[in-house]
Amino acid sequence: RQERKLLGVQEGCIVKTLLVTGGGEGLGFAIAQRFAKDGYRVALADIDSEKAMGRVSELGSFHMALHVD
């Protein structure tokens, strides 16, 4: 409980976030799908930003795509 208080987290208000590198395709996207299904907010990081943007829409709301190199 002390840890939650220090983090400013109230009971029932925990937001889980995941950054997936190479998330625009293949194994990276499969991992992203799994965590999104489990309630995580997912950020797809990929060198191909167009591919990541297209894929993030498949995950639903509260997800984002990032261009990284």
Side-chain angles (χ1 to χ4, degrees):
R1 288 184 176 231
Q2 181 64 24
E3 180 180 308
R4 287 184 177 190
K5 186 175 181 181
L6 291 174
L7 294 174
V9 177
Q10 297 177 358
E11 199 66 38
C13 293
I14 297 173
V15 175
K16 302 174 283 182
T17 306
L18 179 72
L19 172 68
V20 181
T21 58
E25 64 182 346
L27 183 58
F29 185 66
I31 291 168
Q33 285 179 305
R34 173 60 189 203
F35 278 88
K37 182 179 176 183
D38 288 344
Y40 282 71
R41 292 184 179 185
V42 178
L44 298 180
D46 204 290
I47 195 167
D48 186 341
S49 58
E50 289 182 23
K51 186 178 288 184
M53 287 294 289
R55 292 297 221 150
V56 79
S57 64
E58 296 177 39
L59 297 177
S61 301
F62 304 112
H63 306 291
M64 65 184 301
L66 303 168
H67 175 258
V68 296
D69 187 2

